[in-house]
Amino acid sequence: AQSVTQLGSHVSVSEGALVLLRCNYSSSVPPYLFWYVQYPNQGLQLLLKYTSAATLVKGINGFEAEFKKSETSFHLTKPSAHMSDAAEYFCAVSDHSSASKIIFGSGTRLSIRP
Amino acid sequence: DVKVTQSSRYLVKRTGEKVFLECVQDMDHENMFWYRQDPGLGLRLIYFSYDVKMKEKGDIPEGYSVSREKKERFSLILESASTNQTSMYLCASSLYKASTNEKLFFGSGTQLSVL
C-alpha cells in the first residue's frame, strides 16, 4: 500500500522567511501527490497536486512543490512566509489499488513568528 | 463552488448510543468519503462510496457503518459509540469514481465527544 510520511509535526518560521514542509512517499508506481491546507476551524482545501505533467507544481497562495522521484519526495515550499499561512498542512497520495482513495500523512502544523 | 455540508459542528453523546453523522454535497459528485482526524495521526479513511448503495471499507472501518441511499447524501453511523471514537470527523467528496487524481472537497467537520 502507498503511504506518505511528513517529517516534523510542527514547524515554526519567522514572517518573511522560507517555508519548507517535508513529505516523502512510498509507492511502487508513479503516484499522484497532493498538498492540502486546513485553517483553524475549517475543512481541508487543496493547495496543489502533482499528476506527472510537470515536476514543479505551483499552487495557491504562493506555495509550490517539487516532485523528486530519486528522493521519493514532494516537499512544499514558499519563499516568504506570511502570518496568514499559519495552518496545518497535509501531504497525501493517491492509492492506485483503489480508484479514488487518497491516503493522508499525519500533518505538519506551521506557526509564523512576527 | 462545491459545498459539502456536515449536519453538526459539535456533538456530545453517551457511551453505547447510536450516532448518525450526516453529510450532503450539492455538486453531483460520484465519490464520498468519511475520515476521522486525530492529533498526530492525520486523516484516516473510515469508509468511502463511489456510487449510490455502494460502499468500501477504508483503513479503520471497525465500529462504523455507512449509508448512501441518495447520491448527494452519505451518512456515517456509530452503532454503539465508545470513548475511543471521540474525534473530529470529516466528510469529503470528489467528482469521478474512475479517477485517482481527483481533488477532494471537504466539509467543516463534526467534533464528536463520547462521554
Side-chain angles (χ1 to χ4, degrees):
Chain A
Q2 300 187 356
S3 64
V4 288
T5 302
Q6 292 185 243
L7 298 175
S9 59
H10 183 213
V11 170
S12 178
V13 302
S14 298
E15 192 173 17
L18 171 72
V19 175
L20 170 61
L21 304 182
R22 299 177 187 274
C23 173
N24 289 89
Y25 68 89
S26 94
S27 172
S28 57
V29 297
Y32 296 125
L33 292 159
F34 310 80
W35 276 99
Y36 282 82
V37 60
Q38 184 180 34
Y39 297 105
N41 299 314
Q42 295 185 26
L44 280 73
Q45 57 183 283
L46 183 69
L47 264 182
L48 51 82
K49 68 177 181 180
Y50 166 75
T51 57
S52 77
T55 56
L56 183 62
V57 182
K58 294 188 183 299
I60 61 172
N61 301 336
F63 284 93
E64 62 183 36
E66 187 172 8
F67 173 72
K68 292 187 177 179
K69 186 178 178 181
S70 60
E71 299 177 8
T72 61
S73 69
F74 190 58
H75 301 331
L76 183 70
T77 60
K78 182 174 180 178
S80 177
H82 192 272
M83 296 299 291
S84 61
D85 295 327
E88 188 147 22
Y89 293 80
F90 294 92
C91 183
V93 63
S94 170
D95 186 340
H96 288 263
S97 67
S98 176
S100 308
K101 185 177 173 183
I102 295 180
I103 309 298
F104 284 82
S106 56
T108 298
R109 182 164 300 279
L110 176 64
S111 299
I112 311 295
R113 302 188 300 271
Chain B
D1 265 359
V2 174
K3 191 163 186 183
V4 179
T5 303
Q6 294 184 233
S7 54
S8 304
R9 183 74 179 96
Y10 298 97
L11 213 51
V12 180
K13 296 293 181 180
R14 297 267 180 212
T15 301
E17 277 193 76
K18 191 169 186 176
V19 181
F20 292 86
L21 303 183
E22 305 287 346
C23 176
V24 177
Q25 49 93 5
D26 66 356
M27 284 298 290
D28 204 36
H29 282 182
E30 295 183 347
N31 305 313
M32 295 189 75
F33 306 80
W34 276 106
Y35 288 89
R36 63 176 281 176
Q37 180 180 9
D38 299 288
L41 296 177
L43 277 70
R44 292 178 291 167
L45 183 63
I46 304 171
Y47 267 99
F48 65 104
S49 167
Y50 52 86
D51 206 346
V52 175
K53 297 191 186 295
M54 303 301 291
K55 61 184 179 184
E56 284 202 27
K57 293 180 180 179
D59 299 315
I60 52 163
E62 296 77 20
Y64 303 94
S65 62
V66 291
S67 172
R68 194 164 181 203
E69 295 297 319
K70 293 184 178 181
K71 192 174 185 180
E72 68 271 18
R73 186 178 296 270
F74 192 36
S75 303
L76 180 69
I77 304 155
L78 287 65
E79 296 291 342
S80 177
S82 64
T83 54
N84 63 13
Q85 292 178 310
T86 291
S87 186
M88 171 67 80
Y89 290 88
L90 294 172
C91 176
S93 70
S94 67
L95 187 54
Y96 295 123
K97 65 185 170 193
S99 172
T100 57
N101 68 351
E102 285 295 317
K103 170 183 176 180
L104 292 178
F105 293 84
F106 281 86
S108 300
T110 296
Q111 178 63 53
L112 174 66
S113 297
V114 183
L115 307 178

mmCIF file of all heavy atoms in Angstrom, chain A residues 46-91:
data_model
loop_
_atom_site.group_PDB
_atom_site.id
_atom_site.type_symbol
_atom_site.label_atom_id
_atom_site.label_comp_id
_atom_site.label_asym_id
_atom_site.label_seq_id
_atom_site.Cartn_x
_atom_site.Cartn_y
_atom_site.Cartn_z
ATOM 1 N N LEU A 46 -7.545 22.070 -1.135
ATOM 2 C CA LEU A 46 -6.397 21.683 -1.945
ATOM 3 C C LEU A 46 -5.479 22.874 -2.191
ATOM 4 O O LEU A 46 -5.922 23.946 -2.619
ATOM 5 C CB LEU A 46 -6.877 21.109 -3.277
ATOM 6 C CG LEU A 46 -5.793 20.596 -4.215
ATOM 7 C CD1 LEU A 46 -5.141 19.336 -3.637
ATOM 8 C CD2 LEU A 46 -6.364 20.312 -5.587
ATOM 9 N N LEU A 47 -4.172 22.676 -1.924
ATOM 10 C CA LEU A 47 -3.153 23.677 -2.263
ATOM 11 C C LEU A 47 -2.613 23.433 -3.662
ATOM 12 O O LEU A 47 -2.472 24.359 -4.456
ATOM 13 C CB LEU A 47 -1.986 23.566 -1.282
ATOM 14 C CG LEU A 47 -1.922 24.474 -0.065
ATOM 15 C CD1 LEU A 47 -0.640 24.183 0.701
ATOM 16 C CD2 LEU A 47 -1.990 25.937 -0.456
ATOM 17 N N LEU A 48 -2.258 22.188 -3.934
ATOM 18 C CA LEU A 48 -1.705 21.827 -5.237
ATOM 19 C C LEU A 48 -1.691 20.309 -5.381
ATOM 20 O O LEU A 48 -1.844 19.590 -4.391
ATOM 21 C CB LEU A 48 -0.291 22.389 -5.408
ATOM 22 C CG LEU A 48 0.729 22.118 -4.293
ATOM 23 C CD1 LEU A 48 1.367 20.755 -4.408
ATOM 24 C CD2 LEU A 48 1.818 23.206 -4.301
ATOM 25 N N LYS A 49 -1.510 19.857 -6.638
ATOM 26 C CA LYS A 49 -1.403 18.416 -6.857
ATOM 27 C C LYS A 49 -0.433 18.124 -7.986
ATOM 28 O O LYS A 49 -0.268 18.927 -8.915
ATOM 29 C CB LYS A 49 -2.762 17.792 -7.162
ATOM 30 C CG LYS A 49 -3.389 18.183 -8.489
ATOM 31 C CD LYS A 49 -4.709 17.415 -8.678
ATOM 32 C CE LYS A 49 -5.340 17.769 -10.017
ATOM 33 N NZ LYS A 49 -6.631 17.033 -10.225
ATOM 34 N N TYR A 50 0.225 16.991 -7.894
ATOM 35 C CA TYR A 50 1.147 16.514 -8.901
ATOM 36 C C TYR A 50 0.518 15.337 -9.630
ATOM 37 O O TYR A 50 0.110 14.358 -9.006
ATOM 38 C CB TYR A 50 2.461 16.061 -8.260
ATOM 39 C CG TYR A 50 3.334 15.261 -9.192
ATOM 40 C CD1 TYR A 50 4.037 15.889 -10.215
ATOM 41 C CD2 TYR A 50 3.428 13.879 -9.071
ATOM 42 C CE1 TYR A 50 4.813 15.147 -11.090
ATOM 43 C CE2 TYR A 50 4.206 13.130 -9.940
ATOM 44 C CZ TYR A 50 4.895 13.771 -10.952
ATOM 45 O OH TYR A 50 5.644 13.031 -11.825
ATOM 46 N N THR A 51 0.466 15.462 -10.970
ATOM 47 C CA THR A 51 -0.133 14.374 -11.754
ATOM 48 C C THR A 51 0.762 13.962 -12.907
ATOM 49 O O THR A 51 0.296 13.437 -13.901
ATOM 50 C CB THR A 51 -1.500 14.797 -12.303
ATOM 51 O OG1 THR A 51 -1.319 15.986 -13.086
ATOM 52 C CG2 THR A 51 -2.477 15.073 -11.193
ATOM 53 N N SER A 52 2.060 14.228 -12.785
ATOM 54 C CA SER A 52 3.116 13.814 -13.717
ATOM 55 C C SER A 52 3.284 14.738 -14.920
ATOM 56 O O SER A 52 4.129 14.496 -15.763
ATOM 57 C CB SER A 52 2.914 12.371 -14.204
ATOM 58 O OG SER A 52 1.906 12.308 -15.192
ATOM 59 N N ALA A 53 2.502 15.791 -15.015
ATOM 60 C CA ALA A 53 2.653 16.708 -16.145
ATOM 61 C C ALA A 53 3.933 17.535 -16.018
ATOM 62 O O ALA A 53 4.614 17.800 -17.012
ATOM 63 C CB ALA A 53 1.447 17.625 -16.246
ATOM 64 N N ALA A 54 4.282 17.942 -14.801
ATOM 65 C CA ALA A 54 5.489 18.737 -14.567
ATOM 66 C C ALA A 54 5.968 18.457 -13.157
ATOM 67 O O ALA A 54 5.154 18.287 -12.246
ATOM 68 C CB ALA A 54 5.197 20.221 -14.731
ATOM 69 N N THR A 55 7.283 18.426 -12.961
ATOM 70 C CA THR A 55 7.796 18.066 -11.632
ATOM 71 C C THR A 55 7.676 19.208 -10.634
ATOM 72 O O THR A 55 7.602 18.971 -9.430
ATOM 73 C CB THR A 55 9.260 17.613 -11.705
ATOM 74 O OG1 THR A 55 10.024 18.649 -12.322
ATOM 75 C CG2 THR A 55 9.398 16.344 -12.524
ATOM 76 N N LEU A 56 7.661 20.449 -11.115
ATOM 77 C CA LEU A 56 7.471 21.594 -10.228
ATOM 78 C C LEU A 56 6.020 22.052 -10.366
ATOM 79 O O LEU A 56 5.585 22.435 -11.447
ATOM 80 C CB LEU A 56 8.433 22.726 -10.583
ATOM 81 C CG LEU A 56 8.379 23.953 -9.674
ATOM 82 C CD1 LEU A 56 8.772 23.574 -8.235
ATOM 83 C CD2 LEU A 56 9.282 25.049 -10.208
ATOM 84 N N VAL A 57 5.325 22.004 -9.264
ATOM 85 C CA VAL A 57 3.898 22.313 -9.281
ATOM 86 C C VAL A 57 3.648 23.591 -8.488
ATOM 87 O O VAL A 57 4.105 23.700 -7.346
ATOM 88 C CB VAL A 57 3.079 21.167 -8.662
ATOM 89 C CG1 VAL A 57 1.585 21.476 -8.743
ATOM 90 C CG2 VAL A 57 3.390 19.850 -9.358
ATOM 91 N N LYS A 58 2.945 24.516 -9.086
ATOM 92 C CA LYS A 58 2.601 25.755 -8.379
ATOM 93 C C LYS A 58 1.168 25.660 -7.885
ATOM 94 O O LYS A 58 0.274 25.175 -8.594
ATOM 95 C CB LYS A 58 2.781 26.948 -9.308
ATOM 96 C CG LYS A 58 4.240 27.180 -9.689
ATOM 97 C CD LYS A 58 4.439 28.480 -10.443
ATOM 98 C CE LYS A 58 5.892 28.648 -10.885
ATOM 99 N NZ LYS A 58 6.834 28.675 -9.746
ATOM 100 N N GLY A 59 0.965 26.150 -6.667
ATOM 101 C CA GLY A 59 -0.357 26.105 -6.082
ATOM 102 C C GLY A 59 -0.860 27.479 -5.724
ATOM 103 O O GLY A 59 -0.341 28.496 -6.179
ATOM 104 N N ILE A 60 -1.855 27.484 -4.860
ATOM 105 C CA ILE A 60 -2.444 28.754 -4.447
ATOM 106 C C ILE A 60 -1.598 29.400 -3.354
ATOM 107 O O ILE A 60 -0.780 28.740 -2.712
ATOM 108 C CB ILE A 60 -3.890 28.561 -3.957
ATOM 109 C CG1 ILE A 60 -3.928 27.622 -2.745
ATOM 110 C CG2 ILE A 60 -4.765 28.024 -5.081
ATOM 111 C CD1 ILE A 60 -5.287 27.539 -2.077
ATOM 112 N N ASN A 61 -1.783 30.692 -3.151
ATOM 113 C CA ASN A 61 -1.148 31.450 -2.069
ATOM 114 C C ASN A 61 0.380 31.425 -2.111
ATOM 115 O O ASN A 61 1.033 31.569 -1.083
ATOM 116 C CB ASN A 61 -1.623 30.934 -0.700
ATOM 117 C CG ASN A 61 -3.129 31.033 -0.534
ATOM 118 O OD1 ASN A 61 -3.778 31.852 -1.188
ATOM 119 N ND2 ASN A 61 -3.691 30.210 0.317
ATOM 120 N N GLY A 62 0.968 31.261 -3.298
ATOM 121 C CA GLY A 62 2.418 31.332 -3.442
ATOM 122 C C GLY A 62 3.173 30.063 -3.103
ATOM 123 O O GLY A 62 4.405 30.044 -3.096
ATOM 124 N N PHE A 63 2.480 28.990 -2.799
ATOM 125 C CA PHE A 63 3.133 27.723 -2.490
ATOM 126 C C PHE A 63 3.481 26.959 -3.762
ATOM 127 O O PHE A 63 2.811 27.082 -4.776
ATOM 128 C CB PHE A 63 2.227 26.852 -1.612
ATOM 129 C CG PHE A 63 2.185 27.296 -0.182
ATOM 130 C CD1 PHE A 63 1.201 28.175 0.257
ATOM 131 C CD2 PHE A 63 3.114 26.820 0.733
ATOM 132 C CE1 PHE A 63 1.168 28.583 1.583
ATOM 133 C CE2 PHE A 63 3.087 27.219 2.054
ATOM 134 C CZ PHE A 63 2.100 28.109 2.478
ATOM 135 N N GLU A 64 4.544 26.178 -3.674
ATOM 136 C CA GLU A 64 4.893 25.262 -4.749
ATOM 137 C C GLU A 64 5.533 24.012 -4.165
ATOM 138 O O GLU A 64 5.977 24.011 -3.005
ATOM 139 C CB GLU A 64 5.818 25.910 -5.778
ATOM 140 C CG GLU A 64 7.152 26.359 -5.262
ATOM 141 C CD GLU A 64 7.952 27.061 -6.359
ATOM 142 O OE1 GLU A 64 7.365 27.779 -7.187
ATOM 143 O OE2 GLU A 64 9.183 26.885 -6.358
ATOM 144 N N ALA A 65 5.553 22.950 -4.959
ATOM 145 C CA ALA A 65 6.144 21.699 -4.507
ATOM 146 C C ALA A 65 6.850 21.049 -5.688
ATOM 147 O O ALA A 65 6.420 21.183 -6.838
ATOM 148 C CB ALA A 65 5.079 20.761 -3.957
ATOM 149 N N GLU A 66 7.950 20.373 -5.382
ATOM 150 C CA GLU A 66 8.724 19.714 -6.429
ATOM 151 C C GLU A 66 8.730 18.219 -6.223
ATOM 152 O O GLU A 66 9.078 17.723 -5.149
ATOM 153 C CB GLU A 66 10.157 20.237 -6.451
ATOM 154 C CG GLU A 66 10.958 19.688 -7.643
ATOM 155 C CD GLU A 66 12.317 20.343 -7.782
ATOM 156 O OE1 GLU A 66 12.713 21.105 -6.888
ATOM 157 O OE2 GLU A 66 12.979 20.056 -8.787
ATOM 158 N N PHE A 67 8.335 17.495 -7.258
ATOM 159 C CA PHE A 67 8.355 16.035 -7.228
ATOM 160 C C PHE A 67 9.772 15.558 -7.585
ATOM 161 O O PHE A 67 10.292 15.905 -8.649
ATOM 162 C CB PHE A 67 7.354 15.475 -8.236
ATOM 163 C CG PHE A 67 7.407 13.979 -8.397
ATOM 164 C CD1 PHE A 67 6.937 13.154 -7.393
ATOM 165 C CD2 PHE A 67 7.921 13.398 -9.553
ATOM 166 C CE1 PHE A 67 6.971 11.775 -7.538
ATOM 167 C CE2 PHE A 67 7.965 12.029 -9.707
ATOM 168 C CZ PHE A 67 7.483 11.205 -8.691
ATOM 169 N N LYS A 68 10.395 14.812 -6.671
ATOM 170 C CA LYS A 68 11.728 14.257 -6.921
ATOM 171 C C LYS A 68 11.653 12.744 -6.776
ATOM 172 O O LYS A 68 11.650 12.215 -5.647
ATOM 173 C CB LYS A 68 12.754 14.845 -5.959
ATOM 174 C CG LYS A 68 13.033 16.318 -6.191
ATOM 175 C CD LYS A 68 14.187 16.803 -5.327
ATOM 176 C CE LYS A 68 14.523 18.252 -5.617
ATOM 177 N NZ LYS A 68 15.640 18.755 -4.773
ATOM 178 N N LYS A 69 11.630 12.077 -7.909
ATOM 179 C CA LYS A 69 11.480 10.625 -7.902
ATOM 180 C C LYS A 69 12.669 9.950 -7.221
ATOM 181 O O LYS A 69 12.501 8.995 -6.458
ATOM 182 C CB LYS A 69 11.344 10.110 -9.343
ATOM 183 C CG LYS A 69 11.048 8.634 -9.457
ATOM 184 C CD LYS A 69 10.877 8.221 -10.898
ATOM 185 C CE LYS A 69 10.635 6.718 -10.996
ATOM 186 N NZ LYS A 69 10.491 6.292 -12.420
ATOM 187 N N SER A 70 13.883 10.461 -7.462
ATOM 188 C CA SER A 70 15.084 9.837 -6.900
ATOM 189 C C SER A 70 15.087 9.890 -5.374
ATOM 190 O O SER A 70 15.688 9.039 -4.718
ATOM 191 C CB SER A 70 16.333 10.521 -7.447
ATOM 192 O OG SER A 70 16.330 11.894 -7.091
ATOM 193 N N GLU A 71 14.425 10.902 -4.817
ATOM 194 C CA GLU A 71 14.371 11.055 -3.361
ATOM 195 C C GLU A 71 13.011 10.642 -2.796
ATOM 196 O O GLU A 71 12.815 10.740 -1.586
ATOM 197 C CB GLU A 71 14.653 12.516 -2.989
ATOM 198 C CG GLU A 71 16.032 12.990 -3.422
ATOM 199 C CD GLU A 71 16.265 14.463 -3.099
ATOM 200 O OE1 GLU A 71 15.422 15.082 -2.411
ATOM 201 O OE2 GLU A 71 17.294 14.997 -3.546
ATOM 202 N N THR A 72 12.124 10.213 -3.643
ATOM 203 C CA THR A 72 10.709 9.923 -3.275
ATOM 204 C C THR A 72 10.153 11.019 -2.375
ATOM 205 O O THR A 72 9.570 10.761 -1.314
ATOM 206 C CB THR A 72 10.540 8.540 -2.604
ATOM 207 O OG1 THR A 72 11.310 8.500 -1.398
ATOM 208 C CG2 THR A 72 10.970 7.433 -3.539
ATOM 209 N N SER A 73 10.332 12.263 -2.826
ATOM 210 C CA SER A 73 9.899 13.393 -2.011
ATOM 211 C C SER A 73 8.973 14.316 -2.786
ATOM 212 O O SER A 73 8.981 14.345 -4.024
ATOM 213 C CB SER A 73 11.109 14.180 -1.511
ATOM 214 O OG SER A 73 11.747 14.848 -2.577
ATOM 215 N N PHE A 74 8.211 15.072 -2.026
ATOM 216 C CA PHE A 74 7.290 16.073 -2.596
ATOM 217 C C PHE A 74 7.172 17.185 -1.570
ATOM 218 O O PHE A 74 6.124 17.423 -0.976
ATOM 219 C CB PHE A 74 5.947 15.424 -2.912
ATOM 220 C CG PHE A 74 5.004 16.284 -3.713
ATOM 221 C CD1 PHE A 74 5.373 16.782 -4.952
ATOM 222 C CD2 PHE A 74 3.731 16.568 -3.246
ATOM 223 C CE1 PHE A 74 4.504 17.567 -5.703
ATOM 224 C CE2 PHE A 74 2.842 17.355 -3.990
ATOM 225 C CZ PHE A 74 3.238 17.849 -5.217
ATOM 226 N N HIS A 75 8.275 17.903 -1.342
ATOM 227 C CA HIS A 75 8.323 18.929 -0.306
ATOM 228 C C HIS A 75 7.592 20.196 -0.752
ATOM 229 O O HIS A 75 7.672 20.599 -1.914
ATOM 230 C CB HIS A 75 9.767 19.281 0.046
ATOM 231 C CG HIS A 75 10.574 18.106 0.534
ATOM 232 N ND1 HIS A 75 10.005 17.020 1.196
ATOM 233 C CD2 HIS A 75 11.907 17.851 0.451
ATOM 234 C CE1 HIS A 75 10.946 16.156 1.507
ATOM 235 N NE2 HIS A 75 12.102 16.621 1.067
ATOM 236 N N LEU A 76 6.957 20.845 0.191
ATOM 237 C CA LEU A 76 6.197 22.074 -0.058
ATOM 238 C C LEU A 76 7.032 23.273 0.370
ATOM 239 O O LEU A 76 7.603 23.269 1.463
ATOM 240 C CB LEU A 76 4.892 22.047 0.739
ATOM 241 C CG LEU A 76 3.930 23.222 0.563
ATOM 242 C CD1 LEU A 76 3.295 23.199 -0.819
ATOM 243 C CD2 LEU A 76 2.861 23.201 1.652
ATOM 244 N N THR A 77 7.097 24.293 -0.484
ATOM 245 C CA THR A 77 7.875 25.482 -0.143
ATOM 246 C C THR A 77 7.100 26.749 -0.464
ATOM 247 O O THR A 77 6.180 26.760 -1.285
ATOM 248 C CB THR A 77 9.207 25.524 -0.919
ATOM 249 O OG1 THR A 77 8.933 25.537 -2.325
ATOM 250 C CG2 THR A 77 10.087 24.329 -0.585
ATOM 251 N N LYS A 78 7.514 27.808 0.233
ATOM 252 C CA LYS A 78 7.036 29.156 -0.060
ATOM 253 C C LYS A 78 8.182 30.090 0.269
ATOM 254 O O LYS A 78 8.757 30.009 1.356
ATOM 255 C CB LYS A 78 5.790 29.499 0.747
ATOM 256 C CG LYS A 78 5.242 30.888 0.435
ATOM 257 C CD LYS A 78 3.923 31.149 1.132
ATOM 258 C CE LYS A 78 3.407 32.545 0.781
ATOM 259 N NZ LYS A 78 2.087 32.843 1.386
ATOM 260 N N PRO A 79 8.564 30.970 -0.641
ATOM 261 C CA PRO A 79 9.765 31.790 -0.427
ATOM 262 C C PRO A 79 9.682 32.717 0.787
ATOM 263 O O PRO A 79 10.674 32.931 1.479
ATOM 264 C CB PRO A 79 9.875 32.611 -1.716
ATOM 265 C CG PRO A 79 9.076 31.872 -2.721
ATOM 266 C CD PRO A 79 7.968 31.186 -1.971
ATOM 267 N N SER A 80 8.496 33.257 1.054
ATOM 268 C CA SER A 80 8.366 34.255 2.103
ATOM 269 C C SER A 80 7.071 34.028 2.878
ATOM 270 O O SER A 80 5.973 34.221 2.346
ATOM 271 C CB SER A 80 8.373 35.655 1.470
ATOM 272 O OG SER A 80 8.191 36.644 2.454
ATOM 273 N N ALA A 81 7.196 33.632 4.130
ATOM 274 C CA ALA A 81 6.020 33.289 4.944
ATOM 275 C C ALA A 81 5.234 34.537 5.328
ATOM 276 O O ALA A 81 5.805 35.608 5.605
ATOM 277 C CB ALA A 81 6.454 32.555 6.204
ATOM 278 N N HIS A 82 3.931 34.342 5.380
ATOM 279 C CA HIS A 82 3.020 35.398 5.800
ATOM 280 C C HIS A 82 2.243 34.898 7.004
ATOM 281 O O HIS A 82 2.003 33.701 7.146
ATOM 282 C CB HIS A 82 2.069 35.740 4.642
ATOM 283 C CG HIS A 82 1.285 36.989 4.847
ATOM 284 N ND1 HIS A 82 0.072 36.999 5.498
ATOM 285 C CD2 HIS A 82 1.545 38.271 4.502
ATOM 286 C CE1 HIS A 82 -0.383 38.227 5.542
ATOM 287 N NE2 HIS A 82 0.482 39.016 4.952
ATOM 288 N N MET A 83 1.826 35.820 7.855
ATOM 289 C CA MET A 83 1.094 35.422 9.064
ATOM 290 C C MET A 83 -0.127 34.565 8.718
ATOM 291 O O MET A 83 -0.485 33.644 9.457
ATOM 292 C CB MET A 83 0.645 36.649 9.859
ATOM 293 C CG MET A 83 1.784 37.487 10.418
ATOM 294 S SD MET A 83 2.833 36.567 11.564
ATOM 295 C CE MET A 83 1.732 36.327 12.946
ATOM 296 N N SER A 84 -0.747 34.840 7.587
ATOM 297 C CA SER A 84 -1.953 34.105 7.194
ATOM 298 C C SER A 84 -1.669 32.664 6.766
ATOM 299 O O SER A 84 -2.606 31.889 6.525
ATOM 300 C CB SER A 84 -2.668 34.837 6.058
ATOM 301 O OG SER A 84 -1.812 34.927 4.932
ATOM 302 N N ASP A 85 -0.390 32.300 6.668
ATOM 303 C CA ASP A 85 -0.038 30.916 6.295
ATOM 304 C C ASP A 85 -0.108 29.961 7.475
ATOM 305 O O ASP A 85 0.027 28.742 7.293
ATOM 306 C CB ASP A 85 1.370 30.869 5.698
ATOM 307 C CG ASP A 85 1.481 31.612 4.382
ATOM 308 O OD1 ASP A 85 0.484 31.630 3.625
ATOM 309 O OD2 ASP A 85 2.549 32.196 4.127
ATOM 310 N N ALA A 86 -0.298 30.489 8.667
ATOM 311 C CA ALA A 86 -0.390 29.627 9.849
ATOM 312 C C ALA A 86 -1.587 28.690 9.713
ATOM 313 O O ALA A 86 -2.737 29.126 9.588
ATOM 314 C CB ALA A 86 -0.534 30.477 11.100
ATOM 315 N N ALA A 87 -1.314 27.393 9.702
ATOM 316 C CA ALA A 87 -2.349 26.393 9.441
ATOM 317 C C ALA A 87 -1.713 25.021 9.601
ATOM 318 O O ALA A 87 -0.520 24.895 9.897
ATOM 319 C CB ALA A 87 -2.900 26.550 8.020
ATOM 320 N N GLU A 88 -2.529 23.989 9.386
ATOM 321 C CA GLU A 88 -1.989 22.629 9.344
ATOM 322 C C GLU A 88 -1.962 22.179 7.888
ATOM 323 O O GLU A 88 -2.919 22.399 7.141
ATOM 324 C CB GLU A 88 -2.819 21.670 10.189
ATOM 325 C CG GLU A 88 -2.171 20.291 10.323
ATOM 326 C CD GLU A 88 -2.449 19.633 11.657
ATOM 327 O OE1 GLU A 88 -3.431 19.998 12.316
ATOM 328 O OE2 GLU A 88 -1.677 18.714 12.024
ATOM 329 N N TYR A 89 -0.862 21.543 7.508
ATOM 330 C CA TYR A 89 -0.652 21.133 6.133
ATOM 331 C C TYR A 89 -0.533 19.614 6.058
ATOM 332 O O TYR A 89 0.177 18.995 6.850
ATOM 333 C CB TYR A 89 0.614 21.795 5.565
ATOM 334 C CG TYR A 89 0.458 23.285 5.431
ATOM 335 C CD1 TYR A 89 0.601 24.130 6.539
ATOM 336 C CD2 TYR A 89 0.161 23.873 4.203
ATOM 337 C CE1 TYR A 89 0.435 25.504 6.421
ATOM 338 C CE2 TYR A 89 0.000 25.243 4.081
ATOM 339 C CZ TYR A 89 0.133 26.051 5.185
ATOM 340 O OH TYR A 89 -0.032 27.409 5.072
ATOM 341 N N PHE A 90 -1.240 19.048 5.088
ATOM 342 C CA PHE A 90 -1.255 17.601 4.919
ATOM 343 C C PHE A 90 -0.779 17.219 3.530
ATOM 344 O O PHE A 90 -1.286 17.739 2.534
ATOM 345 C CB PHE A 90 -2.675 17.051 5.118
ATOM 346 C CG PHE A 90 -3.206 17.205 6.509
ATOM 347 C CD1 PHE A 90 -3.940 18.324 6.862
ATOM 348 C CD2 PHE A 90 -2.979 16.225 7.461
ATOM 349 C CE1 PHE A 90 -4.436 18.473 8.147
ATOM 350 C CE2 PHE A 90 -3.468 16.352 8.749
ATOM 351 C CZ PHE A 90 -4.204 17.493 9.090
ATOM 352 N N CYS A 91 0.152 16.298 3.492
ATOM 353 C CA CYS A 91 0.559 15.678 2.246
ATOM 354 C C CYS A 91 -0.300 14.433 2.034
ATOM 355 O O CYS A 91 -0.695 13.771 3.014
ATOM 356 C CB CYS A 91 2.044 15.302 2.338
ATOM 357 S SG CYS A 91 2.745 14.607 0.846
#
